[in-house]
Amino acid sequence: MSNTWYEPQTTGSRSGVEVKVQIAQFYNRHRPIINAIGPFLLLMAMVAVFALINPRFLSWINLFNLMRQSSILLIVSTGITFVILMGALDLSVGAIVTLVAISSAVLIRDFDVGAVGIAVAAAGIGALCGLANAALVLRLRLPSFVATLGTMTILGGVSTWISGGGNVFFQSPNLTWIASGSVIGRIPNSGVLALLIFVVASFVGARSHFGRALFAIGGGGLTARLSGIDVLRTKAVAFVVSGMLCGVAGLLLVARTSTGTSRIGDDLLLQAIAAVVMGGTALSGGSGGVHRTLTGVLVIAVLQNGLNIAGVHTYLQIMVTGFIVVLSVTITLDRSRLAFIK
Amino acid sequence: MSGVPTPIYTMRNGSKRFNGISVVEGIDLDVFPNEIVGIAGENGAGKSTTLKMIAGIHTPDAGSMRLCGKSFRPTSYTKAVEAGISMVFQEQALIPSLTVYENIFLSLEANFANPIGIVDRRAMMAVSERHFKDLGLDFIDPCRRTGDYAFHDRQMIEIAKAFVLAEYFHIDHPIILLDEPTAAIGEREIRILFDSIRRYRRRASFVLITHRLAEYVELCDRIYVFKDGRNVGEFAGEQISEQSLHRVMVGRTRDDEYFMEKRQLKLVGAPIAISVKGLSGHNVQNVSFEVRKGEILGIGGLVGCGKEAVAKAIVGFEPFPSNGTIEVGGEALPLRGRGKAAIVRGMGFVPKERKTEGIVPYMSVQANMSLASLPLVSRLSGFISGSRERILAEKYINRLRVRCKGPTQLCQFLSGGNQQKVVIAKWLARKVQVLVLDNPTRGVDVGAKQEIYGVLRDLAEEGVAILLVTDDLPELIGMSNRILVMREGEIQFVCNAPAENKPTEQELVQHMV
């Protein structure tokens, strides 16, 4: 009788385990490439399918339209990426967009504020909301999820109150021009502005001390602190930047329709989070990057635009969008970091 | 029962490897009925791993176990519990928000359910209450929230749980494993715990790990001593004494080449770099010492003696002992924002928990190396220059011989030793004047260890003051110019350790316990 009873497992199950290990090793070794290229390939596939269904999809008119449609989501997603990179979440982005849209509409209608003034006011209100988030998270030490859930609800109430529950119509040719006009050829201004913000933010995220601090905090908060990084200030700046970009987005949104409606920006929250995650930035923080968010935004924008052009029923569109988000995240998600999310 | 008792549990040739590194090997261990068995050894000797093998948490790679005469191979902790083995975990396994009785019957509720699935809570309470009465724990109300009880009471609840579960699975003689039960409780609670264990031994056997040798001597009938994952001694009854345990636990031959002792500087009148005066608080009392430029000062002592707290106070890693003053280069460090101030004054800290405090695993080697000195790798203020960062990283990769694919490889994929070199490089990049290290070679392979020692010697020659806090005795003795031994928060012993006249492990250890 052998007293070693930890005999090897049957060869069948062992090789099964080995294959799994090999897949995991392959994935781990090539994870950066898989994560970076996966969503891009998905995007290309979607473009090809939509172009085949309806050639009009690739027409200049439609592409500029796509740009206009995606510009607001791009700005909001860019802002929230800063927050997500450090492992926090800002649930109030949609509510800030709504608040800024409605207060801008009221300021123009009732106080006749000029274009420059309104731009400063929009960014300022957004930044203040971000500062409030930062205060709750850093001073009261609330988890960002809870704190921004609170501000989201509060700001939603404020927006409804300011608007009086109804729509706020206004007239501002300047603002309409900013949102819908074009300076460079026929490229829409809102698209140019969004891309500009995105490019600057990508550079800041990848190259600045602030961006590096975000990655360090998201990837290892204690290490960041012990390396002399000002964790509190970095976090505060991230929330303020996120709020301020929501302010810009809110102004563009309301300028397009010249009508402030309650809940106008609320959908942007989930779209923005989906875009960031699809781009390959982990919700647990520390990996990904601002530059990646563009792909995620385009996936969502191309889907909506393409399904429209293909004449898919609205309800079906929503379902397909949800399905693609799940698929895309499955390709991109960095599973080795899931332990933190649960 | 015959005259010669038979062991209730035996382990033969138990071995366990993690990632190819042998942690324990060839362990033989018996537990007799009503016996209190101790497993003694230094940190990393394999005590906890062995306990976890008994409890089914780790599956041994080789060897056999028998329980009550039958082959015993638990595939999980639950299986071990069903067979009559329970473990009281260092980090407690009770859910604070549940009541005591809910915790006791956690995952066993179905057995109290009637056919439509409604659980008979009264029965659960009654069973718990009866056991608490039997064990003399009447003061514990099974219906109260577990979190309302103090740590040591919760420990008793865990022990009670072991008895309840044993009865439940029809085990008349459970084995209860205690992993450092006294680490977090005070002297009075320790007495209560020990009294209880002595009373309960009529009904159970215990296996104990603790970091205080005196507790083994007081409590255990028989003690196994582990060293480097092997069983190196067994003591029973009269043979047990702190001295006898020590002699076996320590006492490796130290290789002076390994620690480059010939390179140790002879310091006469070197200027003082750090001066600590009257440091108190956080289990530290009145600690004062100085470190000179070019000196390596070692602090040793058992786990919990306060040596880590001293390191934390110097580098401002909160929470730290806040009374007393710490001067660097003649200027006192502020209490608020000390961490930042310490770095600005040219201090570096190599912390104990490499993965969470030393590196950011998800950042590249170069990003980790430049993390504390971003302005040095910037051309445009506030922005990192990729090329400067790479040049900096390549310099330190070469100097410290960091084995990586290149500066852009993620730190996560480096071995422990190379990760530690990255942490050290982070501070070298800042040209630190003072380096504080907390167990810098824990989990580092032998080759990388020696390379790290070489770097420390280089730094000392450049005039950097080094404070080395370590649990590793040969390292403490081999590296230090001077050694402080701490015990229960105070400095117990100070000695010079010149290269030609190093103290022995035994000399130091007698001041630790």
Side-chain angles (χ1 to χ4, degrees):
Chain A
M1 207 182 92
S2 160
N3 69 351
T4 303
W5 35 256
Y6 287 100
E7 63 268 5
Q9 291 167 314
T10 56
T11 44
S13 71
R14 171 167 270 199
S15 69
V17 170
E18 273 170 7
V19 169
K20 268 187 191 165
V21 168
Q22 275 172 2
I23 292 174
Q25 280 174 348
F26 178 84
Y27 179 75
N28 265 332
R29 205 168 299 143
H30 303 285
R31 182 159 45 75
I33 298 163
I34 295 172
N35 285 350
I37 292 183
F40 189 72
L41 291 180
L42 185 75
L43 182 65
M44 290 295 111
M46 276 168 30
V47 169
V49 169
F50 287 131
L52 283 176
I53 293 175
N54 190 339
R56 213 155 46 80
F57 177 79
L58 284 181
S59 67
W60 283 113
I61 294 180
N62 188 53
L63 288 181
F64 288 142
N65 202 15
L66 188 76
M67 231 175 143
R68 209 171 286 128
Q69 286 168 347
S70 59
S71 59
I72 288 161
L73 180 60
L74 180 59
I75 297 174
V76 174
S77 308
T78 301
I80 204 175
T81 311
F82 283 116
V83 177
I84 291 177
L85 269 181
M86 62 178 186
L89 204 52
D90 185 351
L91 294 181
S92 66
V93 287
I96 298 178
V97 170
T98 304
L99 176 71
V100 170
I102 286 176
S103 28
S104 304
V106 170
L107 284 176
I108 296 169
R109 187 189 63 181
D110 298 348
F111 301 94
D112 202 21
V113 180
V116 176
I118 204 69
V120 172
I125 295 172
L128 273 181
C129 295
L131 199 62
N133 283 332
L136 291 177
V137 172
L138 303 176
R139 283 272 155 201
L140 300 185
R141 296 180 172 233
L142 295 176
S144 61
F145 189 91
V146 178
T148 55
L149 188 65
T151 45
M152 172 178 107
T153 315
I154 295 169
L155 295 180
V158 174
S159 304
T160 315
W161 183 48
I162 293 177
S163 68
N167 294 345
V168 183
F169 301 100
F170 65 92
Q171 294 260 305
S172 172
N174 284 342
L175 220 50
T176 313
W177 175 81
I178 291 176
S180 311
S182 47
V183 184
I184 312 160
R186 283 186 297 160
I187 305 174
N189 288 334
S190 56
V192 174
L193 180 63
L195 275 180
L196 205 66
I197 289 176
F198 169 75
V199 169
V200 171
S202 298
F203 184 69
V204 167
R207 280 269 166 259
S208 71
H209 295 179
F210 166 69
R212 182 58 62 77
L214 287 180
F215 277 91
I217 293 168
L222 258 183
T223 304
R225 200 178 94 198
L226 288 175
S227 302
I229 283 169
D230 193 336
V231 175
L232 289 186
R233 204 188 69 185
T234 308
K235 283 187 169 175
V237 171
F239 278 109
V240 171
V241 167
S242 168
M244 199 171 75
L245 291 183
C246 288
V248 175
L251 185 62
L252 280 185
L253 184 61
V254 79
R256 195 195 287 164
T257 53
S258 294
T259 312
T261 325
S262 55
R263 311 259 162 244
I264 186 171
D266 291 9
D267 286 348
L268 285 166
L269 168 63
L270 293 181
Q271 287 182 5
I273 294 177
V276 171
V277 176
M278 278 195 281
T281 298
L283 275 181
S284 46
S287 66
V290 181
H291 60 281
R292 293 198 168 191
T293 296
L294 182 64
T295 328
V297 170
L298 285 179
V299 168
I300 290 180
V302 163
L303 251 184
Q304 289 181 341
N305 177 289
L307 290 173
N308 252 331
I309 285 190
V312 176
H313 193 277
T314 320
Y315 297 151
L316 194 58
Q317 279 190 23
I318 298 173
M319 285 189 273
V320 173
T321 309
F323 176 73
I324 294 290
V325 168
V326 172
L327 179 71
S328 174
V329 171
T330 312
I331 301 173
T332 324
L333 199 60
D334 183 351
R335 278 172 191 72
S336 56
R337 307 226 55 195
L338 278 188
F340 299 99
I341 307 173
K342 289 186 185 169
Chain B
M1 284 274 172
S2 62
V4 183
T6 49
I8 182 167
Y9 169 91
T10 59
M11 177 187 282
R12 287 289 169 267
N13 190 29
S15 302
K16 181 74 189 169
R17 298 169 154 264
F18 291 113
N19 302 324
I21 297 164
S22 174
V23 179
V24 291
E25 211 173 318
I27 298 290
D28 292 346
L29 187 142
D30 296 320
V31 180
F32 290 91
N34 310 101
E35 191 183 35
I36 303 175
V37 180
I39 304 178
E42 290 188 284
N43 291 324
K47 298 170 294 185
S48 275
T49 307
T50 306
L51 222 51
K52 285 178 178 164
M53 290 202 294
I54 302 176
I57 297 163
H58 294 326
T59 309
D61 295 324
S64 64
M65 298 195 281
R66 298 181 80 78
L67 185 67
C68 303
K70 277 178 293 195
S71 175
F72 173 59
R73 42 180 125 169
T75 49
S76 68
Y77 177 55
T78 318
K79 289 273 186 290
V81 171
E82 284 171 16
I85 293 180
S86 305
M87 185 154 168
V88 176
F89 291 90
Q90 245 168 335
E91 62 288 1
Q92 291 187 335
L94 298 173
I95 300 171
S97 56
L98 294 184
T99 63
V100 172
Y101 81 84
E102 282 169 333
N103 261 309
I104 292 212
F105 290 107
L106 198 63
S107 84
L108 299 171
E109 294 87 351
N111 302 289
F112 287 86
N114 64 14
I116 45 170
I118 293 170
V119 173
D120 186 353
R121 289 176 179 275
R122 280 173 196 287
M124 285 161 73
M125 288 175 214
V127 175
S128 313
E129 204 160 353
R130 175 166 58 78
H131 275 279
F132 283 130
K133 203 162 268 165
D134 274 3
L135 298 170
L137 301 171
D138 311 61
F139 62 96
I140 291 174
D141 175 1
C143 298
R144 262 181 77 184
R145 242 174 52 97
T146 311
D148 292 344
Y149 287 99
F151 188 90
H152 55 276
D153 286 335
R154 295 205 299 272
Q155 219 160 32
M156 297 311 297
I157 294 173
E158 281 211 76
I159 295 176
K161 180 174 178 173
F163 282 105
V164 178
L165 294 181
E167 179 193 83
Y168 191 78
F169 291 113
H170 309 290
I171 310 287
D172 7 290
H173 192 88
I175 297 176
I176 299 174
L177 313 176
L178 303 164
D179 190 0
E180 301 227 358
T182 58
I185 61 180
E187 199 52 46
R188 200 175 58 87
E189 287 77 29
I190 292 176
R191 297 269 64 86
I192 298 172
L193 176 73
F194 283 9
D195 287 345
S196 310
I197 293 175
R198 283 195 199 96
R199 259 185 300 133
Y200 302 156
R201 67 183 298 175
R202 283 182 288 113
R203 301 171 49 189
S205 301
F206 289 89
V207 182
L208 172 77
I209 295 179
T210 160
H211 61 264
R212 294 182 192 142
L213 285 181
E215 293 175 357
Y216 289 114
V217 176
E218 180 186 341
L219 207 56
C220 295
D221 304 314
R222 214 151 45 77
I223 299 172
Y224 292 99
V225 181
F226 285 14
K227 190 163 84 180
D228 301 330
R230 288 174 175 280
N231 209 330
V232 291
E234 184 184 339
F235 297 89
E238 295 297 300
Q239 303 168 309
I240 299 176
S241 71
E242 287 189 41
Q243 284 71 24
S244 63
L245 291 177
H246 259 299
R247 211 174 309 125
V248 190
M249 269 169 71
V250 297
R252 263 155 297 198
T253 50
R254 193 171 38 79
D255 181 358
D256 56 354
E257 286 289 310
Y258 191 54
F259 297 101
M260 289 159 253
E261 288 171 19
K262 290 196 184 66
R263 290 181 58 192
Q264 184 168 318
L265 301 180
K266 291 190 173 61
L267 295 159
V268 185
I272 289 167
I274 326 174
S275 147
V276 176
K277 285 186 196 123
L279 188 68
S280 297
H282 270 278
N283 300 326
V284 170
Q285 286 152 40
N286 201 21
V287 167
S288 305
F289 60 86
E290 285 161 351
V291 191
R292 293 173 182 277
K293 283 172 88 69
E295 183 180 35
I296 301 179
L297 177 71
I299 305 186
L302 300 177
V303 175
C305 72
K307 60 186 191 299
E308 291 94 350
V310 171
K312 284 182 171 186
I314 293 173
V315 298
F317 181 10
E318 286 162 352
F320 56 79
S322 51
N323 298 324
T325 56
I326 294 171
E327 288 177 9
V328 179
E331 247 184 295
L333 284 175
L335 206 52
R336 277 179 64 100
R338 179 176 290 179
K340 183 82 188 169
I343 291 171
V344 171
R345 303 268 186 85
M347 248 194 234
F349 178 42
V350 177
K352 189 178 198 167
E353 301 298 331
R354 183 166 54 240
K355 287 200 166 77
T356 54
E357 299 169 355
I359 60 159
V360 182
Y362 270 76
M363 292 202 320
S364 62
V365 169
Q366 65 180 30
N368 269 291
M369 284 184 174
S370 67
L371 197 57
S373 40
L374 290 179
L376 292 182
V377 293
S378 304
R379 206 167 284 148
L380 179 66
S381 169
F383 288 88
I384 297 159
S385 152
S387 57
R388 285 192 186 183
E389 187 175 44
R390 205 189 54 245
I391 291 167
L392 177 102
E394 276 166 356
K395 177 176 160 192
Y396 288 103
I397 287 172
N398 289 332
R399 176 162 170 200
L400 301 182
R401 277 184 249 153
V402 181
R403 278 166 205 80
C404 59
K405 282 185 196 142
T408 54
Q409 194 184 14
L410 294 187
C411 249
Q412 179 191 19
F413 299 118
L414 267 51
S415 73
N418 286 306
Q419 286 178 348
Q420 195 67 296
K421 289 181 195 168
V422 171
V423 180
I424 295 173
K426 174 169 75 180
W427 298 113
L428 295 195
R430 274 192 70 85
K431 311 244 181 302
V432 288
Q433 291 308 302
V434 174
L435 192 60
V436 179
L437 306 104
D438 188 351
N439 282 297
T441 59
R442 166 178 294 191
V444 169
D445 62 277
V446 183
K449 250 185 183 178
Q450 195 177 14
E451 286 172 349
I452 289 174
Y453 296 144
V455 173
L456 294 185
R457 290 283 181 226
D458 291 345
L459 289 175
E461 280 165 13
E462 290 164 24
V464 174
I466 296 173
L467 182 69
L468 176 67
V469 173
T470 178
D471 290 323
D472 185 329
L473 277 176
E475 173 177 300
L476 178 73
I477 296 166
M479 290 304 296
S480 308
N481 294 68
R482 210 149 49 88
I483 298 171
L484 305 185
V485 174
M486 287 183 67
R487 180 166 168 255
E488 285 168 10
E490 290 177 75
I491 295 180
Q492 193 71 22
F493 178 68
V494 184
C495 72
N496 286 316
E500 62 283 353
N501 187 18
K502 291 275 182 189
T504 63
E505 294 184 18
Q506 279 81 356
E507 275 175 88
L508 294 182
V509 162
Q510 67 185 14
H511 299 284
M512 293 183 178
V513 292

